[in-house]
Amino acid sequence: MQLYIKNMVCDRCILVIKEQLDKAGIAYSKVNLGEVALDNEPTPVQLDSLNVALTAIGFELLDDKKEKLVEKVKNIIISLVHRNEEGNNKKLSALLEEKLQLDYHYLSNLFSSTEGITIEKYAIRQRVERVKELLTYNELSLSEIADQMEYSSVQHLSQQFKKETGMTPSQFRELKDKARKPLDKV
């Protein structure tokens, strides 16, 4: 059995979820971004207890199949952008179709109707947040960041960055307070 959890977008989140599963007495074999593989079916009391605990710390158990699917799309994009997972050389549409075994047109329509933005726009926002993170570290040149993030050029990165943030990457790098969004708020 699988549980799906909304807003589970970081490695620290996985530790928090494991702690809550242990407290609720729910046996699990694996915890990934947004998903928990359970060893056996939890009781309704265990699920209620877990749901209350998760809600209190900003997470949510997902029941609806469409919500689960949208969360899977988000988690694939986050893994791709922030963890440099395999698949970067494929088009996003082909990668999502392959991983989810569903038509991209269906996924795109579902995502847009649920989230109010397109999958492509969501992916761009995630990429820009990753670029902000890399700029904050101040270890790579803009050219190296463009290469790592697989932009076609520094100019393309800069145009996309400015369109999303209203400033150039160089202007962002010069800021003292480099405001970034949590991944679940992108």
Side-chain angles (χ1 to χ4, degrees), residues 72-107:
K72 284 182 181 182
V73 169
K74 287 180 175 182
N75 289 331
I76 289 169
I77 292 169
I78 289 169
S79 293
L80 190 64
V81 172
H82 296 275
R83 292 183 172 70
N84 297 326
E85 289 193 2
E86 290 180 27
N88 283 349
N89 56 354
K90 291 183 182 177
K91 287 182 80 171
L92 181 58
S93 57
L95 182 71
L96 289 171
E97 280 184 342
E98 179 185 308
K99 289 196 176 227
L100 299 173
Q101 298 295 301
L102 291 166
D103 178 63
Y104 182 74
H105 183 70
Y106 170 75
L107 292 171

PDB file of all heavy atoms in Angstrom, residues 72-107:
ATOM      1  N   LYS A  72       2.738  13.757  -7.819  1.00  0.00           N
ATOM      2  CA  LYS A  72       3.796  12.970  -8.473  1.00  0.00           C
ATOM      3  C   LYS A  72       4.504  13.792  -9.545  1.00  0.00           C
ATOM      4  O   LYS A  72       5.727  13.733  -9.662  1.00  0.00           O
ATOM      5  CB  LYS A  72       3.211  11.699  -9.094  1.00  0.00           C
ATOM      6  CG  LYS A  72       2.892  10.611  -8.112  1.00  0.00           C
ATOM      7  CD  LYS A  72       2.362   9.386  -8.849  1.00  0.00           C
ATOM      8  CE  LYS A  72       2.003   8.274  -7.907  1.00  0.00           C
ATOM      9  NZ  LYS A  72       1.541   7.076  -8.624  1.00  0.00           N
ATOM     10  N   VAL A  73       3.747  14.536 -10.340  1.00  0.00           N
ATOM     11  CA  VAL A  73       4.341  15.395 -11.376  1.00  0.00           C
ATOM     12  C   VAL A  73       5.287  16.394 -10.711  1.00  0.00           C
ATOM     13  O   VAL A  73       6.434  16.577 -11.145  1.00  0.00           O
ATOM     14  CB  VAL A  73       3.259  16.126 -12.207  1.00  0.00           C
ATOM     15  CG1 VAL A  73       3.870  17.215 -13.078  1.00  0.00           C
ATOM     16  CG2 VAL A  73       2.457  15.146 -13.056  1.00  0.00           C
ATOM     17  N   LYS A  74       4.830  17.041  -9.640  1.00  0.00           N
ATOM     18  CA  LYS A  74       5.669  18.012  -8.927  1.00  0.00           C
ATOM     19  C   LYS A  74       6.950  17.360  -8.413  1.00  0.00           C
ATOM     20  O   LYS A  74       8.040  17.922  -8.539  1.00  0.00           O
ATOM     21  CB  LYS A  74       4.909  18.619  -7.748  1.00  0.00           C
ATOM     22  CG  LYS A  74       3.842  19.605  -8.133  1.00  0.00           C
ATOM     23  CD  LYS A  74       3.184  20.119  -6.861  1.00  0.00           C
ATOM     24  CE  LYS A  74       2.177  21.190  -7.121  1.00  0.00           C
ATOM     25  NZ  LYS A  74       1.597  21.684  -5.855  1.00  0.00           N
ATOM     26  N   ASN A  75       6.820  16.181  -7.818  1.00  0.00           N
ATOM     27  CA  ASN A  75       7.983  15.508  -7.245  1.00  0.00           C
ATOM     28  C   ASN A  75       8.989  15.084  -8.307  1.00  0.00           C
ATOM     29  O   ASN A  75      10.194  15.140  -8.078  1.00  0.00           O
ATOM     30  CB  ASN A  75       7.547  14.317  -6.391  1.00  0.00           C
ATOM     31  CG  ASN A  75       6.884  14.768  -5.113  1.00  0.00           C
ATOM     32  OD1 ASN A  75       7.176  15.834  -4.586  1.00  0.00           O
ATOM     33  ND2 ASN A  75       5.962  13.972  -4.608  1.00  0.00           N
ATOM     34  N   ILE A  76       8.507  14.674  -9.476  1.00  0.00           N
ATOM     35  CA  ILE A  76       9.417  14.329 -10.569  1.00  0.00           C
ATOM     36  C   ILE A  76      10.195  15.568 -11.003  1.00  0.00           C
ATOM     37  O   ILE A  76      11.413  15.523 -11.185  1.00  0.00           O
ATOM     38  CB  ILE A  76       8.640  13.712 -11.758  1.00  0.00           C
ATOM     39  CG1 ILE A  76       8.145  12.307 -11.380  1.00  0.00           C
ATOM     40  CG2 ILE A  76       9.506  13.662 -13.019  1.00  0.00           C
ATOM     41  CD1 ILE A  76       7.144  11.718 -12.361  1.00  0.00           C
ATOM     42  N   ILE A  77       9.493  16.687 -11.144  1.00  0.00           N
ATOM     43  CA  ILE A  77      10.155  17.935 -11.561  1.00  0.00           C
ATOM     44  C   ILE A  77      11.160  18.394 -10.505  1.00  0.00           C
ATOM     45  O   ILE A  77      12.284  18.765 -10.828  1.00  0.00           O
ATOM     46  CB  ILE A  77       9.111  19.027 -11.867  1.00  0.00           C
ATOM     47  CG1 ILE A  77       8.312  18.645 -13.124  1.00  0.00           C
ATOM     48  CG2 ILE A  77       9.776  20.394 -12.038  1.00  0.00           C
ATOM     49  CD1 ILE A  77       7.083  19.497 -13.385  1.00  0.00           C
ATOM     50  N   ILE A  78      10.768  18.350  -9.249  1.00  0.00           N
ATOM     51  CA  ILE A  78      11.678  18.750  -8.163  1.00  0.00           C
ATOM     52  C   ILE A  78      12.917  17.860  -8.152  1.00  0.00           C
ATOM     53  O   ILE A  78      14.044  18.351  -8.046  1.00  0.00           O
ATOM     54  CB  ILE A  78      10.951  18.732  -6.804  1.00  0.00           C
ATOM     55  CG1 ILE A  78       9.961  19.894  -6.744  1.00  0.00           C
ATOM     56  CG2 ILE A  78      11.948  18.802  -5.645  1.00  0.00           C
ATOM     57  CD1 ILE A  78       8.995  19.843  -5.578  1.00  0.00           C
ATOM     58  N   SER A  79      12.736  16.561  -8.284  1.00  0.00           N
ATOM     59  CA  SER A  79      13.879  15.644  -8.310  1.00  0.00           C
ATOM     60  C   SER A  79      14.775  15.927  -9.502  1.00  0.00           C
ATOM     61  O   SER A  79      15.999  15.910  -9.389  1.00  0.00           O
ATOM     62  CB  SER A  79      13.400  14.194  -8.372  1.00  0.00           C
ATOM     63  OG  SER A  79      12.757  13.846  -7.179  1.00  0.00           O
ATOM     64  N   LEU A  80      14.175  16.189 -10.618  1.00  0.00           N
ATOM     65  CA  LEU A  80      14.925  16.469 -11.840  1.00  0.00           C
ATOM     66  C   LEU A  80      15.742  17.760 -11.712  1.00  0.00           C
ATOM     67  O   LEU A  80      16.930  17.793 -12.037  1.00  0.00           O
ATOM     68  CB  LEU A  80      13.945  16.588 -13.008  1.00  0.00           C
ATOM     69  CG  LEU A  80      14.484  16.653 -14.412  1.00  0.00           C
ATOM     70  CD1 LEU A  80      15.202  15.359 -14.752  1.00  0.00           C
ATOM     71  CD2 LEU A  80      13.356  16.886 -15.394  1.00  0.00           C
ATOM     72  N   VAL A  81      15.130  18.799 -11.192  1.00  0.00           N
ATOM     73  CA  VAL A  81      15.773  20.115 -11.118  1.00  0.00           C
ATOM     74  C   VAL A  81      16.734  20.229  -9.934  1.00  0.00           C
ATOM     75  O   VAL A  81      17.846  20.713 -10.082  1.00  0.00           O
ATOM     76  CB  VAL A  81      14.708  21.237 -11.039  1.00  0.00           C
ATOM     77  CG1 VAL A  81      15.340  22.580 -10.755  1.00  0.00           C
ATOM     78  CG2 VAL A  81      13.898  21.285 -12.324  1.00  0.00           C
ATOM     79  N   HIS A  82      16.327  19.779  -8.780  1.00  0.00           N
ATOM     80  CA  HIS A  82      17.102  20.030  -7.567  1.00  0.00           C
ATOM     81  C   HIS A  82      18.046  18.908  -7.174  1.00  0.00           C
ATOM     82  O   HIS A  82      18.962  19.113  -6.396  1.00  0.00           O
ATOM     83  CB  HIS A  82      16.170  20.350  -6.396  1.00  0.00           C
ATOM     84  CG  HIS A  82      15.406  21.613  -6.612  1.00  0.00           C
ATOM     85  ND1 HIS A  82      15.916  22.845  -6.308  1.00  0.00           N
ATOM     86  CD2 HIS A  82      14.179  21.845  -7.139  1.00  0.00           C
ATOM     87  CE1 HIS A  82      15.043  23.789  -6.620  1.00  0.00           C
ATOM     88  NE2 HIS A  82      13.978  23.202  -7.131  1.00  0.00           N
ATOM     89  N   ARG A  83      17.820  17.730  -7.711  1.00  0.00           N
ATOM     90  CA  ARG A  83      18.685  16.607  -7.362  1.00  0.00           C
ATOM     91  C   ARG A  83      19.484  16.103  -8.552  1.00  0.00           C
ATOM     92  O   ARG A  83      20.162  15.099  -8.464  1.00  0.00           O
ATOM     93  CB  ARG A  83      17.851  15.478  -6.780  1.00  0.00           C
ATOM     94  CG  ARG A  83      17.289  15.852  -5.435  1.00  0.00           C
ATOM     95  CD  ARG A  83      16.531  14.688  -4.828  1.00  0.00           C
ATOM     96  NE  ARG A  83      16.157  14.971  -3.470  1.00  0.00           N
ATOM     97  CZ  ARG A  83      15.242  15.850  -3.104  1.00  0.00           C
ATOM     98  NH1 ARG A  83      14.599  16.538  -4.004  1.00  0.00           N
ATOM     99  NH2 ARG A  83      14.960  16.056  -1.844  1.00  0.00           N
ATOM    100  N   ASN A  84      19.332  16.791  -9.693  1.00  0.00           N
ATOM    101  CA  ASN A  84      20.032  16.425 -10.924  1.00  0.00           C
ATOM    102  C   ASN A  84      19.851  14.946 -11.259  1.00  0.00           C
ATOM    103  O   ASN A  84      20.800  14.253 -11.618  1.00  0.00           O
ATOM    104  CB  ASN A  84      21.524  16.766 -10.834  1.00  0.00           C
ATOM    105  CG  ASN A  84      21.747  18.246 -10.691  1.00  0.00           C
ATOM    106  OD1 ASN A  84      21.007  19.053 -11.241  1.00  0.00           O
ATOM    107  ND2 ASN A  84      22.762  18.613  -9.930  1.00  0.00           N
ATOM    108  N   GLU A  85      18.617  14.448 -11.067  1.00  0.00           N
ATOM    109  CA  GLU A  85      18.350  13.052 -11.377  1.00  0.00           C
ATOM    110  C   GLU A  85      18.327  12.825 -12.873  1.00  0.00           C
ATOM    111  O   GLU A  85      18.195  13.746 -13.666  1.00  0.00           O
ATOM    112  CB  GLU A  85      17.022  12.615 -10.749  1.00  0.00           C
ATOM    113  CG  GLU A  85      17.132  12.506  -9.252  1.00  0.00           C
ATOM    114  CD  GLU A  85      15.955  11.790  -8.611  1.00  0.00           C
ATOM    115  OE1 GLU A  85      15.058  11.330  -9.329  1.00  0.00           O
ATOM    116  OE2 GLU A  85      15.964  11.689  -7.381  1.00  0.00           O
ATOM    117  N   GLU A  86      18.435  11.557 -13.242  1.00  0.00           N
ATOM    118  CA  GLU A  86      18.454  11.178 -14.657  1.00  0.00           C
ATOM    119  C   GLU A  86      17.224  11.693 -15.386  1.00  0.00           C
ATOM    120  O   GLU A  86      16.162  11.822 -14.802  1.00  0.00           O
ATOM    121  CB  GLU A  86      18.475   9.653 -14.787  1.00  0.00           C
ATOM    122  CG  GLU A  86      19.769   9.021 -14.351  1.00  0.00           C
ATOM    123  CD  GLU A  86      19.717   7.520 -14.506  1.00  0.00           C
ATOM    124  OE1 GLU A  86      18.976   7.006 -15.358  1.00  0.00           O
ATOM    125  OE2 GLU A  86      20.448   6.865 -13.756  1.00  0.00           O
ATOM    126  N   GLY A  87      17.418  11.921 -16.672  1.00  0.00           N
ATOM    127  CA  GLY A  87      16.295  12.325 -17.491  1.00  0.00           C
ATOM    128  C   GLY A  87      16.427  13.719 -18.042  1.00  0.00           C
ATOM    129  O   GLY A  87      15.602  14.146 -18.831  1.00  0.00           O
ATOM    130  N   ASN A  88      17.464  14.439 -17.620  1.00  0.00           N
ATOM    131  CA  ASN A  88      17.618  15.822 -18.074  1.00  0.00           C
ATOM    132  C   ASN A  88      17.766  15.930 -19.587  1.00  0.00           C
ATOM    133  O   ASN A  88      17.477  16.959 -20.157  1.00  0.00           O
ATOM    134  CB  ASN A  88      18.822  16.485 -17.394  1.00  0.00           C
ATOM    135  CG  ASN A  88      18.521  16.883 -15.961  1.00  0.00           C
ATOM    136  OD1 ASN A  88      17.384  16.858 -15.536  1.00  0.00           O
ATOM    137  ND2 ASN A  88      19.537  17.242 -15.229  1.00  0.00           N
ATOM    138  N   ASN A  89      18.255  14.865 -20.245  1.00  0.00           N
ATOM    139  CA  ASN A  89      18.453  14.949 -21.685  1.00  0.00           C
ATOM    140  C   ASN A  89      17.158  14.686 -22.462  1.00  0.00           C
ATOM    141  O   ASN A  89      17.143  14.802 -23.670  1.00  0.00           O
ATOM    142  CB  ASN A  89      19.550  13.975 -22.139  1.00  0.00           C
ATOM    143  CG  ASN A  89      19.267  12.544 -21.721  1.00  0.00           C
ATOM    144  OD1 ASN A  89      18.314  12.277 -20.990  1.00  0.00           O
ATOM    145  ND2 ASN A  89      20.095  11.624 -22.158  1.00  0.00           N
ATOM    146  N   LYS A  90      16.086  14.355 -21.783  1.00  0.00           N
ATOM    147  CA  LYS A  90      14.797  14.133 -22.424  1.00  0.00           C
ATOM    148  C   LYS A  90      13.922  15.360 -22.254  1.00  0.00           C
ATOM    149  O   LYS A  90      14.080  16.121 -21.305  1.00  0.00           O
ATOM    150  CB  LYS A  90      14.061  12.950 -21.778  1.00  0.00           C
ATOM    151  CG  LYS A  90      14.668  11.612 -22.027  1.00  0.00           C
ATOM    152  CD  LYS A  90      13.814  10.544 -21.393  1.00  0.00           C
ATOM    153  CE  LYS A  90      14.446   9.187 -21.597  1.00  0.00           C
ATOM    154  NZ  LYS A  90      13.681   8.150 -20.930  1.00  0.00           N
ATOM    155  N   LYS A  91      12.983  15.505 -23.165  1.00  0.00           N
ATOM    156  CA  LYS A  91      11.986  16.562 -22.992  1.00  0.00           C
ATOM    157  C   LYS A  91      11.156  16.219 -21.753  1.00  0.00           C
ATOM    158  O   LYS A  91      10.889  15.048 -21.482  1.00  0.00           O
ATOM    159  CB  LYS A  91      11.084  16.632 -24.219  1.00  0.00           C
ATOM    160  CG  LYS A  91      11.753  17.231 -25.436  1.00  0.00           C
ATOM    161  CD  LYS A  91      10.798  17.319 -26.595  1.00  0.00           C
ATOM    162  CE  LYS A  91       9.922  18.534 -26.408  1.00  0.00           C
ATOM    163  NZ  LYS A  91       9.096  18.829 -27.586  1.00  0.00           N
ATOM    164  N   LEU A  92      10.743  17.244 -21.047  1.00  0.00           N
ATOM    165  CA  LEU A  92       9.954  17.037 -19.834  1.00  0.00           C
ATOM    166  C   LEU A  92       8.686  16.247 -20.133  1.00  0.00           C
ATOM    167  O   LEU A  92       8.315  15.349 -19.383  1.00  0.00           O
ATOM    168  CB  LEU A  92       9.615  18.379 -19.184  1.00  0.00           C
ATOM    169  CG  LEU A  92       8.819  18.328 -17.885  1.00  0.00           C
ATOM    170  CD1 LEU A  92       9.536  17.504 -16.813  1.00  0.00           C
ATOM    171  CD2 LEU A  92       8.537  19.727 -17.374  1.00  0.00           C
ATOM    172  N   SER A  93       8.024  16.547 -21.220  1.00  0.00           N
ATOM    173  CA  SER A  93       6.789  15.847 -21.570  1.00  0.00           C
ATOM    174  C   SER A  93       7.041  14.350 -21.751  1.00  0.00           C
ATOM    175  O   SER A  93       6.284  13.517 -21.236  1.00  0.00           O
ATOM    176  CB  SER A  93       6.170  16.438 -22.838  1.00  0.00           C
ATOM    177  OG  SER A  93       7.086  16.389 -23.910  1.00  0.00           O
ATOM    178  N   ALA A  94       8.113  13.988 -22.439  1.00  0.00           N
ATOM    179  CA  ALA A  94       8.431  12.575 -22.661  1.00  0.00           C
ATOM    180  C   ALA A  94       8.807  11.887 -21.350  1.00  0.00           C
ATOM    181  O   ALA A  94       8.411  10.734 -21.104  1.00  0.00           O
ATOM    182  CB  ALA A  94       9.568  12.447 -23.672  1.00  0.00           C
ATOM    183  N   LEU A  95       9.537  12.584 -20.505  1.00  0.00           N
ATOM    184  CA  LEU A  95       9.939  12.020 -19.218  1.00  0.00           C
ATOM    185  C   LEU A  95       8.718  11.744 -18.331  1.00  0.00           C
ATOM    186  O   LEU A  95       8.607  10.674 -17.727  1.00  0.00           O
ATOM    187  CB  LEU A  95      10.902  12.971 -18.510  1.00  0.00           C
ATOM    188  CG  LEU A  95      11.432  12.493 -17.169  1.00  0.00           C
ATOM    189  CD1 LEU A  95      12.405  11.338 -17.364  1.00  0.00           C
ATOM    190  CD2 LEU A  95      12.117  13.628 -16.440  1.00  0.00           C
ATOM    191  N   LEU A  96       7.792  12.703 -18.274  1.00  0.00           N
ATOM    192  CA  LEU A  96       6.590  12.518 -17.455  1.00  0.00           C
ATOM    193  C   LEU A  96       5.739  11.380 -17.997  1.00  0.00           C
ATOM    194  O   LEU A  96       5.212  10.562 -17.219  1.00  0.00           O
ATOM    195  CB  LEU A  96       5.789  13.819 -17.380  1.00  0.00           C
ATOM    196  CG  LEU A  96       6.420  14.935 -16.555  1.00  0.00           C
ATOM    197  CD1 LEU A  96       5.648  16.238 -16.726  1.00  0.00           C
ATOM    198  CD2 LEU A  96       6.511  14.554 -15.093  1.00  0.00           C
ATOM    199  N   GLU A  97       5.589  11.309 -19.307  1.00  0.00           N
ATOM    200  CA  GLU A  97       4.828  10.204 -19.908  1.00  0.00           C
ATOM    201  C   GLU A  97       5.454   8.864 -19.550  1.00  0.00           C
ATOM    202  O   GLU A  97       4.752   7.916 -19.195  1.00  0.00           O
ATOM    203  CB  GLU A  97       4.764  10.349 -21.431  1.00  0.00           C
ATOM    204  CG  GLU A  97       3.738  11.336 -21.902  1.00  0.00           C
ATOM    205  CD  GLU A  97       3.610  11.395 -23.426  1.00  0.00           C
ATOM    206  OE1 GLU A  97       4.538  10.935 -24.150  1.00  0.00           O
ATOM    207  OE2 GLU A  97       2.579  11.909 -23.886  1.00  0.00           O
ATOM    208  N   GLU A  98       6.774   8.790 -19.636  1.00  0.00           N
ATOM    209  CA  GLU A  98       7.487   7.545 -19.342  1.00  0.00           C
ATOM    210  C   GLU A  98       7.343   7.140 -17.873  1.00  0.00           C
ATOM    211  O   GLU A  98       7.030   6.002 -17.560  1.00  0.00           O
ATOM    212  CB  GLU A  98       8.962   7.712 -19.693  1.00  0.00           C
ATOM    213  CG  GLU A  98       9.821   6.504 -19.407  1.00  0.00           C
ATOM    214  CD  GLU A  98      11.286   6.791 -19.667  1.00  0.00           C
ATOM    215  OE1 GLU A  98      11.599   7.268 -20.782  1.00  0.00           O
ATOM    216  OE2 GLU A  98      12.102   6.568 -18.752  1.00  0.00           O
ATOM    217  N   LYS A  99       7.561   8.087 -16.978  1.00  0.00           N
ATOM    218  CA  LYS A  99       7.531   7.769 -15.545  1.00  0.00           C
ATOM    219  C   LYS A  99       6.124   7.493 -15.022  1.00  0.00           C
ATOM    220  O   LYS A  99       5.943   6.686 -14.114  1.00  0.00           O
ATOM    221  CB  LYS A  99       8.184   8.885 -14.732  1.00  0.00           C
ATOM    222  CG  LYS A  99       9.683   8.929 -14.913  1.00  0.00           C
ATOM    223  CD  LYS A  99      10.338   9.753 -13.834  1.00  0.00           C
ATOM    224  CE  LYS A  99      11.823   9.684 -14.001  1.00  0.00           C
ATOM    225  NZ  LYS A  99      12.518   9.415 -12.770  1.00  0.00           N
ATOM    226  N   LEU A 100       5.137   8.189 -15.569  1.00  0.00           N
ATOM    227  CA  LEU A 100       3.772   8.055 -15.044  1.00  0.00           C
ATOM    228  C   LEU A 100       2.877   7.177 -15.914  1.00  0.00           C
ATOM    229  O   LEU A 100       1.745   6.877 -15.520  1.00  0.00           O
ATOM    230  CB  LEU A 100       3.147   9.444 -14.860  1.00  0.00           C
ATOM    231  CG  LEU A 100       3.893  10.339 -13.870  1.00  0.00           C
ATOM    232  CD1 LEU A 100       3.306  11.741 -13.868  1.00  0.00           C
ATOM    233  CD2 LEU A 100       3.861   9.743 -12.469  1.00  0.00           C
ATOM    234  N   GLN A 101       3.372   6.808 -17.079  1.00  0.00           N
ATOM    235  CA  GLN A 101       2.622   5.945 -17.998  1.00  0.00           C
ATOM    236  C   GLN A 101       1.253   6.517 -18.353  1.00  0.00           C
ATOM    237  O   GLN A 101       0.250   5.806 -18.409  1.00  0.00           O
ATOM    238  CB  GLN A 101       2.482   4.524 -17.418  1.00  0.00           C
ATOM    239  CG  GLN A 101       3.793   3.800 -17.207  1.00  0.00           C
ATOM    240  CD  GLN A 101       4.502   3.517 -18.518  1.00  0.00           C
ATOM    241  OE1 GLN A 101       3.949   2.853 -19.372  1.00  0.00           O
ATOM    242  NE2 GLN A 101       5.697   4.049 -18.687  1.00  0.00           N
ATOM    243  N   LEU A 102       1.230   7.831 -18.547  1.00  0.00           N
ATOM    244  CA  LEU A 102       0.007   8.528 -18.935  1.00  0.00           C
ATOM    245  C   LEU A 102       0.332   9.530 -20.031  1.00  0.00           C
ATOM    246  O   LEU A 102       1.458  10.014 -20.130  1.00  0.00           O
ATOM    247  CB  LEU A 102      -0.596   9.260 -17.729  1.00  0.00           C
ATOM    248  CG  LEU A 102      -1.186   8.369 -16.637  1.00  0.00           C
ATOM    249  CD1 LEU A 102      -1.428   9.168 -15.376  1.00  0.00           C
ATOM    250  CD2 LEU A 102      -2.471   7.717 -17.113  1.00  0.00           C
ATOM    251  N   ASP A 103      -0.670   9.859 -20.821  1.00  0.00           N
ATOM    252  CA  ASP A 103      -0.522  10.818 -21.900  1.00  0.00           C
ATOM    253  C   ASP A 103      -0.213  12.207 -21.336  1.00  0.00           C
ATOM    254  O   ASP A 103      -0.858  12.672 -20.388  1.00  0.00           O
ATOM    255  CB  ASP A 103      -1.819  10.847 -22.718  1.00  0.00           C
ATOM    256  CG  ASP A 103      -1.770  11.853 -23.835  1.00  0.00           C
ATOM    257  OD1 ASP A 103      -0.925  11.690 -24.730  1.00  0.00           O
ATOM    258  OD2 ASP A 103      -2.580  12.807 -23.801  1.00  0.00           O
ATOM    259  N   TYR A 104       0.765  12.881 -21.940  1.00  0.00           N
ATOM    260  CA  TYR A 104       1.173  14.195 -21.456  1.00  0.00           C
ATOM    261  C   TYR A 104       0.036  15.216 -21.553  1.00  0.00           C
ATOM    262  O   TYR A 104      -0.109  16.057 -20.667  1.00  0.00           O
ATOM    263  CB  TYR A 104       2.406  14.709 -22.214  1.00  0.00           C
ATOM    264  CG  TYR A 104       2.859  16.047 -21.698  1.00  0.00           C
ATOM    265  CD1 TYR A 104       3.509  16.147 -20.473  1.00  0.00           C
ATOM    266  CD2 TYR A 104       2.593  17.220 -22.401  1.00  0.00           C
ATOM    267  CE1 TYR A 104       3.899  17.373 -19.970  1.00  0.00           C
ATOM    268  CE2 TYR A 104       2.994  18.455 -21.907  1.00  0.00           C
ATOM    269  CZ  TYR A 104       3.645  18.522 -20.690  1.00  0.00           C
ATOM    270  OH  TYR A 104       4.015  19.730 -20.185  1.00  0.00           O
ATOM    271  N   HIS A 105      -0.756  15.142 -22.598  1.00  0.00           N
ATOM    272  CA  HIS A 105      -1.877  16.078 -22.760  1.00  0.00           C
ATOM    273  C   HIS A 105      -2.828  15.980 -21.549  1.00  0.00           C
ATOM    274  O   HIS A 105      -3.256  16.998 -21.003  1.00  0.00           O
ATOM    275  CB  HIS A 105      -2.618  15.792 -24.067  1.00  0.00           C
ATOM    276  CG  HIS A 105      -3.730  16.737 -24.362  1.00  0.00           C
ATOM    277  ND1 HIS A 105      -3.514  18.055 -24.707  1.00  0.00           N
ATOM    278  CD2 HIS A 105      -5.078  16.574 -24.334  1.00  0.00           C
ATOM    279  CE1 HIS A 105      -4.674  18.661 -24.883  1.00  0.00           C
ATOM    280  NE2 HIS A 105      -5.634  17.785 -24.660  1.00  0.00           N
ATOM    281  N   TYR A 106      -3.107  14.760 -21.116  1.00  0.00           N
ATOM    282  CA  TYR A 106      -3.959  14.552 -19.939  1.00  0.00           C
ATOM    283  C   TYR A 106      -3.287  15.138 -18.691  1.00  0.00           C
ATOM    284  O   TYR A 106      -3.914  15.863 -17.912  1.00  0.00           O
ATOM    285  CB  TYR A 106      -4.249  13.063 -19.736  1.00  0.00           C
ATOM    286  CG  TYR A 106      -4.910  12.762 -18.416  1.00  0.00           C
ATOM    287  CD1 TYR A 106      -6.257  13.064 -18.205  1.00  0.00           C
ATOM    288  CD2 TYR A 106      -4.183  12.217 -17.363  1.00  0.00           C
ATOM    289  CE1 TYR A 106      -6.863  12.819 -16.974  1.00  0.00           C
ATOM    290  CE2 TYR A 106      -4.787  11.963 -16.136  1.00  0.00           C
ATOM    291  CZ  TYR A 106      -6.119  12.270 -15.948  1.00  0.00           C
ATOM    292  OH  TYR A 106      -6.712  12.039 -14.736  1.00  0.00           O
ATOM    293  N   LEU A 107      -1.992  14.818 -18.508  1.00  0.00           N
ATOM    294  CA  LEU A 107      -1.257  15.322 -17.340  1.00  0.00           C
ATOM    295  C   LEU A 107      -1.234  16.848 -17.323  1.00  0.00           C
ATOM    296  O   LEU A 107      -1.435  17.470 -16.284  1.00  0.00           O
ATOM    297  CB  LEU A 107       0.180  14.788 -17.339  1.00  0.00           C
ATOM    298  CG  LEU A 107       0.364  13.299 -17.108  1.00  0.00           C
ATOM    299  CD1 LEU A 107       1.815  12.906 -17.362  1.00  0.00           C
ATOM    300  CD2 LEU A 107      -0.075  12.913 -15.713  1.00  0.00           C
TER     301      LEU A 107
END
